């Protein structure tokens, strides 16, 4: 286990590279991750520093891409003070103005799990997560050592969407959102990011961290529509030149 030179000092943490595995975003590619340990020492403050260095979390597992011959995964964030919604995004905001957001505890709820399963089967069938058990779901989304929030979005008493976010000292990190895949004409995914941007502004936090963007991955394409968008490249956060 070694510290890499492009990381700020984390005197209590160690970093190791995983064994190679098949990339879930670019077919035919081999991926590896760099993992930060021990997990119990990664509190909100430490995790915020790791996010600035390009890390993300899955449950209590904190990682970033560390592939041998690929640098396609770019950590991205929205500087919320400069963000201006596009026309389609304004329409999505208006379309879902009836959604009621409520923060809930980070606890398992059968209704949430049922919605998660429907979302995975409809949007990511065959990706593995559509087979997640209750324990796998809970480990992925409900286990956290940082300041995490579970937000439930309902409309006329019907659960439509769930978002998990982490609140850091310089922004909100969008962990995962799943929603009703059967509602016709919906734009829940777009709405959730716009809602998170408004929360950043309400809390006077400058950034919304959106995880990784991959130019040639259709799953990641939506992130490029929230501009301006900054990417961590060669150790520096830089504004991306996107059409």
């Amino acid at each position: 286990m070694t510290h890499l030179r492009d990381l700020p000092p984390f005197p209590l943490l160690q970093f190791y590279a995983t064994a190679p595995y098949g990339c879930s975003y670019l077919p035919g590619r081999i991926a590896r991750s760099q993992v930060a340990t021990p997990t119990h020492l990664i509190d909100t403050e430490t995790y915020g520093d790791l996010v600035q260095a390009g890390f993300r979390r899955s449950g209590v597992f904190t990682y970033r891409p560390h592939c041998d011959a690929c640098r396609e995964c770019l950590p991205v964030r929205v500087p919320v003070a400069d963000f201006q919604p596009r026309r389609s995004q304004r329409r999505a905001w208006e379309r879902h103005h009836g959604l009621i957001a409520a923060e809930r505890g980070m606890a398992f709820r059968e209704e949430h799990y049922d919605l998660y399963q429907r979302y995975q089967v409809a949007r990511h069938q065959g990706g593995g997560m559509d087979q997640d058990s209750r324990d796998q779901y809970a480990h992925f989304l409900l286990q956290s050592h940082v300041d995490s929030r579970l937000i439930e979005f309902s409309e006329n008493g019907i659960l439509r969407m769930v978002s998990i976010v982490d609140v850091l000292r310089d922004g909100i990190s969008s962990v995962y959102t799943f929603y009703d895949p059967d509602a016709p004409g919906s734009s829940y995914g777009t709405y959730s990011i716009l809602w998170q941007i408004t929360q950043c502004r309400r809390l006077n936090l400058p950034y919304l961290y959106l995880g990784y963007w991959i130019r040639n991955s259709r799953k990641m394409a939506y992130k490029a529509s929230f501009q301006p968008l900054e990417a961590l490249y060669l150790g520096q956060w830089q504004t991306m030149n996107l059409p």
Side-chain angles (χ1 to χ4, degrees), residues 30-151:
I30 299 299
R32 294 208 300 171
S33 295
Q34 184 185 42
V35 179
T37 61
T39 59
H40 70 276
L41 295 182
I42 302 176
D43 57 12
T44 301
E45 182 176 357
T46 301
Y47 181 63
D49 291 337
L50 288 166
V51 168
Q52 290 181 1
F55 282 79
R56 295 279 288 169
R57 71 173 186 87
S58 175
V60 298
F61 177 81
T62 303
Y63 69 96
R64 69 176 178 178
H66 189 62
C67 303
D68 296 324
C70 179
R71 297 293 182 270
E72 292 295 317
C73 290
L74 291 177
V76 292
R77 68 187 185 185
V78 178
V80 299
D82 299 324
F83 172 72
Q84 293 293 331
R86 297 180 175 184
R87 182 179 302 175
S88 61
Q89 292 166 344
R90 292 196 298 269
R91 287 198 299 265
W93 184 261
E94 291 298 324
R95 184 179 301 124
H96 297 302
H97 72 277
L99 287 173
I100 304 299
E103 183 178 340
R104 306 296 188 197
M106 295 285 291
F108 180 87
R109 293 173 178 81
E110 194 70 33
E111 184 182 19
H112 294 175
Y113 176 65
D114 290 344
L115 180 63
Y116 174 83
Q117 284 192 308
R118 288 201 294 120
Y119 171 79
Q120 293 297 341
V121 168
R123 297 300 178 102
H124 303 292
Q125 190 169 25
M129 294 169 67
D130 54 329
Q131 301 296 322
D132 278 0
S133 67
R134 288 169 175 79
D135 284 345
Q136 288 171 313
Y137 163 83
H139 287 147
F140 171 41
L141 292 179
L142 303 179
Q143 288 194 357
S144 172
H145 294 321
V146 303
D147 185 3
S148 300
R149 317 281 176 88
L150 186 153
I151 312 299

Side-chain angles (χ1 to χ4, degrees), residues 210-232:
L210 291 179
Y212 303 115
W213 177 76
I214 304 170
R215 183 179 298 275
N216 295 315
S217 172
R218 188 175 61 180
K219 295 179 181 179
M220 300 292 192
Y222 72 93
K223 297 179 184 182
S225 66
F226 295 88
Q227 296 188 32
L229 195 65
E230 295 180 352
L232 184 62

